[in-house]
PDB file of all heavy atoms in Angstrom:
ATOM      1  N   ALA A 630     163.615 196.997 166.134  1.00 98.00           N
ATOM      2  CA  ALA A 630     164.962 197.420 165.722  1.00 98.00           C
ATOM      3  C   ALA A 630     164.898 198.803 165.074  1.00 98.00           C
ATOM      4  O   ALA A 630     165.720 199.695 165.353  1.00 98.00           O
ATOM      5  CB  ALA A 630     165.565 196.406 164.758  1.00 98.00           C
ATOM      6  N   LEU A 631     163.890 198.996 164.234  1.00 97.00           N
ATOM      7  CA  LEU A 631     163.742 200.279 163.526  1.00 97.00           C
ATOM      8  C   LEU A 631     163.594 201.423 164.510  1.00 97.00           C
ATOM      9  O   LEU A 631     164.285 202.433 164.419  1.00 97.00           O
ATOM     10  CB  LEU A 631     162.510 200.178 162.611  1.00 97.00           C
ATOM     11  CG  LEU A 631     162.266 201.333 161.659  1.00 97.00           C
ATOM     12  CD1 LEU A 631     163.280 201.247 160.510  1.00 97.00           C
ATOM     13  CD2 LEU A 631     160.855 201.227 161.067  1.00 97.00           C
ATOM     14  N   HIS A 632     162.698 201.249 165.491  1.00 97.00           N
ATOM     15  CA  HIS A 632     162.412 202.337 166.411  1.00 97.00           C
ATOM     16  C   HIS A 632     163.511 202.534 167.454  1.00 97.00           C
ATOM     17  O   HIS A 632     163.559 203.561 168.113  1.00 97.00           O
ATOM     18  CB  HIS A 632     161.034 202.144 167.077  1.00 97.00           C
ATOM     19  CG  HIS A 632     159.932 202.356 166.066  1.00 97.00           C
ATOM     20  ND1 HIS A 632     159.675 203.578 165.513  1.00 97.00           N
ATOM     21  CD2 HIS A 632     159.108 201.478 165.461  1.00 97.00           C
ATOM     22  CE1 HIS A 632     158.709 203.455 164.629  1.00 97.00           C
ATOM     23  NE2 HIS A 632     158.346 202.177 164.570  1.00 97.00           N
ATOM     24  N   ARG A 633     164.366 201.565 167.609  1.00 97.00           N
ATOM     25  CA  ARG A 633     165.500 201.719 168.516  1.00 97.00           C
ATOM     26  C   ARG A 633     166.733 202.218 167.761  1.00 97.00           C
ATOM     27  O   ARG A 633     167.828 202.299 168.304  1.00 97.00           O
ATOM     28  CB  ARG A 633     165.786 200.406 169.244  1.00 97.00           C
ATOM     29  CG  ARG A 633     164.641 200.041 170.216  1.00 97.00           C
ATOM     30  CD  ARG A 633     164.732 198.625 170.697  1.00 97.00           C
ATOM     31  NE  ARG A 633     165.738 198.451 171.715  1.00 97.00           N
ATOM     32  CZ  ARG A 633     165.501 198.226 173.008  1.00 97.00           C
ATOM     33  NH1 ARG A 633     164.262 198.157 173.445  1.00 97.00           N
ATOM     34  NH2 ARG A 633     166.477 198.079 173.854  1.00 97.00           N
ATOM     35  N   GLY A 634     166.533 202.553 166.482  1.00 97.00           N
ATOM     36  CA  GLY A 634     167.609 203.156 165.685  1.00 97.00           C
ATOM     37  C   GLY A 634     168.718 202.184 165.290  1.00 97.00           C
ATOM     38  O   GLY A 634     169.857 202.593 165.084  1.00 97.00           O
ATOM     39  N   CYS A 635     168.389 200.903 165.199  1.00 96.00           N
ATOM     40  CA  CYS A 635     169.411 199.919 164.851  1.00 96.00           C
ATOM     41  C   CYS A 635     169.544 199.774 163.328  1.00 96.00           C
ATOM     42  O   CYS A 635     168.603 200.060 162.595  1.00 96.00           O
ATOM     43  CB  CYS A 635     169.064 198.557 165.446  1.00 96.00           C
ATOM     44  SG  CYS A 635     168.865 198.606 167.206  1.00 96.00           S
ATOM     45  N   ASP A 636     170.685 199.281 162.897  1.00 93.00           N
ATOM     46  CA  ASP A 636     170.934 199.029 161.486  1.00 93.00           C
ATOM     47  C   ASP A 636     170.280 197.673 161.149  1.00 93.00           C
ATOM     48  O   ASP A 636     170.890 196.617 161.316  1.00 93.00           O
ATOM     49  CB  ASP A 636     172.454 198.994 161.249  1.00 93.00           C
ATOM     50  CG  ASP A 636     172.811 198.958 159.774  1.00 93.00           C
ATOM     51  OD1 ASP A 636     171.904 198.676 158.955  1.00 93.00           O
ATOM     52  OD2 ASP A 636     173.974 199.201 159.441  1.00 93.00           O
ATOM     53  N   VAL A 637     169.028 197.715 160.706  1.00 94.00           N
ATOM     54  CA  VAL A 637     168.213 196.504 160.604  1.00 94.00           C
ATOM     55  C   VAL A 637     168.873 195.414 159.728  1.00 94.00           C
ATOM     56  O   VAL A 637     168.960 194.265 160.143  1.00 94.00           O
ATOM     57  CB  VAL A 637     166.823 196.838 160.024  1.00 94.00           C
ATOM     58  CG1 VAL A 637     166.015 195.568 159.777  1.00 94.00           C
ATOM     59  CG2 VAL A 637     166.062 197.768 160.947  1.00 94.00           C
ATOM     60  N   ASP A 638     169.342 195.797 158.557  1.00 92.00           N
ATOM     61  CA  ASP A 638     169.847 194.789 157.620  1.00 92.00           C
ATOM     62  C   ASP A 638     171.254 194.313 157.945  1.00 92.00           C
ATOM     63  O   ASP A 638     171.660 193.243 157.508  1.00 92.00           O
ATOM     64  CB  ASP A 638     169.825 195.331 156.180  1.00 92.00           C
ATOM     65  CG  ASP A 638     168.431 195.338 155.597  1.00 92.00           C
ATOM     66  OD1 ASP A 638     167.568 194.620 156.104  1.00 92.00           O
ATOM     67  OD2 ASP A 638     168.204 196.080 154.611  1.00 92.00           O
ATOM     68  N   LYS A 639     172.005 195.165 158.659  1.00 89.00           N
ATOM     69  CA  LYS A 639     173.417 194.818 158.916  1.00 89.00           C
ATOM     70  C   LYS A 639     173.713 194.925 160.398  1.00 89.00           C
ATOM     71  O   LYS A 639     174.445 195.822 160.829  1.00 89.00           O
ATOM     72  CB  LYS A 639     174.337 195.723 158.095  1.00 89.00           C
ATOM     73  CG  LYS A 639     174.166 195.566 156.587  1.00 89.00           C
ATOM     74  CD  LYS A 639     175.211 196.288 155.806  1.00 89.00           C
ATOM     75  CE  LYS A 639     175.007 197.750 155.661  1.00 89.00           C
ATOM     76  NZ  LYS A 639     174.076 198.194 154.657  1.00 89.00           N
ATOM     77  N   PRO A 640     173.132 194.054 161.219  1.00 90.00           N
ATOM     78  CA  PRO A 640     173.343 194.165 162.656  1.00 90.00           C
ATOM     79  C   PRO A 640     174.813 193.970 163.035  1.00 90.00           C
ATOM     80  O   PRO A 640     175.549 193.280 162.330  1.00 90.00           O
ATOM     81  CB  PRO A 640     172.481 193.046 163.238  1.00 90.00           C
ATOM     82  CG  PRO A 640     172.162 192.144 162.112  1.00 90.00           C
ATOM     83  CD  PRO A 640     172.265 192.917 160.855  1.00 90.00           C
ATOM     84  N   ARG A 641     175.192 194.612 164.139  1.00 89.00           N
ATOM     85  CA  ARG A 641     176.602 194.573 164.532  1.00 89.00           C
ATOM     86  C   ARG A 641     177.097 193.132 164.784  1.00 89.00           C
ATOM     87  O   ARG A 641     176.331 192.272 165.233  1.00 89.00           O
ATOM     88  CB  ARG A 641     176.811 195.416 165.803  1.00 89.00           C
ATOM     89  CG  ARG A 641     176.173 194.819 167.038  1.00 89.00           C
ATOM     90  CD  ARG A 641     176.307 195.723 168.241  1.00 89.00           C
ATOM     91  NE  ARG A 641     175.651 195.091 169.364  1.00 89.00           N
ATOM     92  CZ  ARG A 641     175.086 195.746 170.367  1.00 89.00           C
ATOM     93  NH1 ARG A 641     175.073 197.057 170.403  1.00 89.00           N
ATOM     94  NH2 ARG A 641     174.526 195.086 171.364  1.00 89.00           N
ATOM     95  N   ASN A 642     178.330 192.916 164.478  1.00 85.00           N
ATOM     96  CA  ASN A 642     179.050 191.652 164.751  1.00 85.00           C
ATOM     97  C   ASN A 642     178.581 190.444 163.955  1.00 85.00           C
ATOM     98  O   ASN A 642     179.142 189.369 164.095  1.00 85.00           O
ATOM     99  CB  ASN A 642     178.982 191.251 166.240  1.00 85.00           C
ATOM    100  CG  ASN A 642     179.530 192.328 167.149  1.00 85.00           C
ATOM    101  OD1 ASN A 642     180.276 193.183 166.703  1.00 85.00           O
ATOM    102  ND2 ASN A 642     179.161 192.287 168.424  1.00 85.00           N
ATOM    103  N   LEU A 643     177.515 190.570 163.189  1.00 87.00           N
ATOM    104  CA  LEU A 643     176.959 189.382 162.513  1.00 87.00           C
ATOM    105  C   LEU A 643     177.333 189.337 161.048  1.00 87.00           C
ATOM    106  O   LEU A 643     177.549 190.354 160.403  1.00 87.00           O
ATOM    107  CB  LEU A 643     175.449 189.371 162.639  1.00 87.00           C
ATOM    108  CG  LEU A 643     174.895 189.147 164.042  1.00 87.00           C
ATOM    109  CD1 LEU A 643     173.373 189.177 164.011  1.00 87.00           C
ATOM    110  CD2 LEU A 643     175.368 187.827 164.604  1.00 87.00           C
ATOM    111  N   ALA A 644     177.391 188.133 160.532  1.00 81.00           N
ATOM    112  CA  ALA A 644     177.656 187.934 159.103  1.00 81.00           C
ATOM    113  C   ALA A 644     176.542 187.062 158.542  1.00 81.00           C
ATOM    114  O   ALA A 644     175.963 186.255 159.255  1.00 81.00           O
ATOM    115  CB  ALA A 644     178.986 187.230 158.922  1.00 81.00           C
ATOM    116  N   LYS A 645     176.253 187.232 157.263  1.00 81.00           N
ATOM    117  CA  LYS A 645     175.178 186.472 156.645  1.00 81.00           C
ATOM    118  C   LYS A 645     175.615 185.045 156.374  1.00 81.00           C
ATOM    119  O   LYS A 645     174.860 184.101 156.589  1.00 81.00           O
ATOM    120  CB  LYS A 645     174.786 187.147 155.328  1.00 81.00           C
ATOM    121  CG  LYS A 645     173.648 186.493 154.606  1.00 81.00           C
ATOM    122  CD  LYS A 645     172.338 186.695 155.323  1.00 81.00           C
ATOM    123  CE  LYS A 645     171.172 186.021 154.667  1.00 81.00           C
ATOM    124  NZ  LYS A 645     170.011 185.954 155.586  1.00 81.00           N
TER     125      LYS A 645
END
Side-chain angles (χ1 to χ4, degrees):
L631 187 75
H632 290 292
R633 292 167 77 109
C635 302
D636 189 345
V637 174
D638 283 340
K639 297 190 281 280
R641 69 184 179 209
N642 303 340
L643 292 179
K645 182 71 182 165

